[in-house]
Amino acid sequence: VDDRENRVWIADCATGHEGYSVFILLHPAMENLGKTTPYKIFATDIHRNSITTAATGSFSKPEVADINKEVLDKYFKIEGERYIVAPEIRKPIVFAQHNILKDQPFTKTHLVCCRNLLIYLNQPAQNRVLSLLSFSLRNNGILFLGPSESLGKVGTDFKTVSQAAKIFKKTRETTRRLDLEYSFSRVQKTAANATQPATASPKSKKA
């Protein structure tokens, strides 16, 4: 764990469930370890509407039905018929529109989650995305894929932590070159409008 900032990238975050879930998992884990290192979660998706919905941090009762009461009480507040994520969850998450096949990846990340996206891509596209994900991670970083996905040609960059859960640890620095370097400040600027707290009408939200 870095002493300055822990960086997480949630690729293909859709309407935000995974971004908030990762925070809810990381927060108590870091507390149990006695770690106070700040962290930033970058949650991205190609669809602007999905990012706008995700940034509201507002969920219907059916959407949170599987979350236990203790977690709901700690990390959400009720407003009418909606469950709104607490500011402590919303603050470290930056939602941004991002095309994983065309835009450059984030760098020096500790954890990358890209679950159930690769299965929708052809083999060349899968190879490109996996190469970018590997490039994004610092050495010893963790990659979390979907249950039907595999590392493909970047398998030599990783060792398996859990084959069943599709969790892998990067074990060597990536030597392959990318076209351009990616800047965190770039996505923060382009995501400024998408990352504001809840402004959309509940009627416009979708599961």
Side-chain angles (χ1 to χ4, degrees):
V1 176
D2 193 279
D3 291 333
R4 294 165 295 180
E5 182 179 67
N6 298 316
R7 295 179 175 178
V8 178
W9 179 19
I10 312 295
D12 194 40
C13 73
T15 52
H17 296 70
E18 193 167 4
Y20 297 116
S21 297
V22 167
F23 177 94
I24 290 171
L25 291 172
L26 285 177
H27 187 251
M30 297 290 282
E31 285 185 334
N32 291 338
L33 291 171
K35 299 289 186 179
T36 59
T37 309
Y39 48 92
K40 185 78 72 177
I41 299 174
F42 288 85
T44 64
D45 196 274
I46 193 172
H47 301 292
R48 182 73 178 183
N49 289 342
S50 294
I51 288 298
T52 300
T53 300
T56 67
S58 176
F59 300 95
S60 66
K61 189 173 183 179
E63 288 179 297
V64 299
D66 293 331
I67 302 176
N68 66 55
K69 187 177 185 303
E70 182 181 353
V71 172
L72 284 176
D73 291 344
K74 184 174 182 179
Y75 295 112
F76 294 81
K77 62 180 181 178
I78 301 175
E79 292 186 2
E81 298 295 319
R82 310 292 298 184
Y83 285 77
I84 310 299
V85 297
E88 65 182 285
I89 296 184
R90 184 63 190 83
K91 186 176 180 180
I93 304 177
V94 175
F95 290 100
Q97 188 176 15
H98 179 269
N99 186 330
I100 197 169
L101 286 171
K102 295 182 179 180
D103 298 329
Q104 300 304 307
F106 296 96
T107 57
K108 299 181 180 179
T109 56
H110 298 84
L111 169 65
V112 172
C113 298
C114 184
R115 306 185 69 246
N116 304 320
L117 168 66
L118 297 174
I119 56 175
Y120 296 105
L121 304 178
N122 60 30
Q123 195 60 55
Q126 287 185 26
N127 291 338
R128 173 167 174 76
V129 169
L130 286 164
S131 178
L132 294 173
L133 299 179
S134 179
F135 183 87
S136 169
L137 282 163
R138 62 177 59 213
N139 206 28
N140 296 318
I142 298 296
L143 176 63
F144 189 14
L145 298 178
S148 299
E149 297 168 333
S150 62
L151 292 171
K153 291 185 177 181
V154 301
T156 54
D157 292 351
F158 296 85
K159 75 173 183 179
T160 301
V161 176
S162 172
Q163 183 61 38
K166 295 302 175 79
I167 298 175
F168 307 95
K169 182 178 182 179
K170 188 174 178 182
T171 55
R172 72 173 189 176
E173 294 295 341
T174 305
T175 56
R176 62 183 64 85
R177 296 183 61 183
L178 297 181
D179 296 333
L180 298 170
E181 291 188 2
Y182 196 76
S183 167
F184 278 92
S185 60
R186 175 176 175 267
V187 76
Q188 286 177 301
K189 290 177 181 178
T190 58
N193 292 332
T195 58
Q196 297 304 312
T199 56
S201 168
K203 293 182 180 179
S204 66
K205 298 181 180 67
K206 60 181 179 179

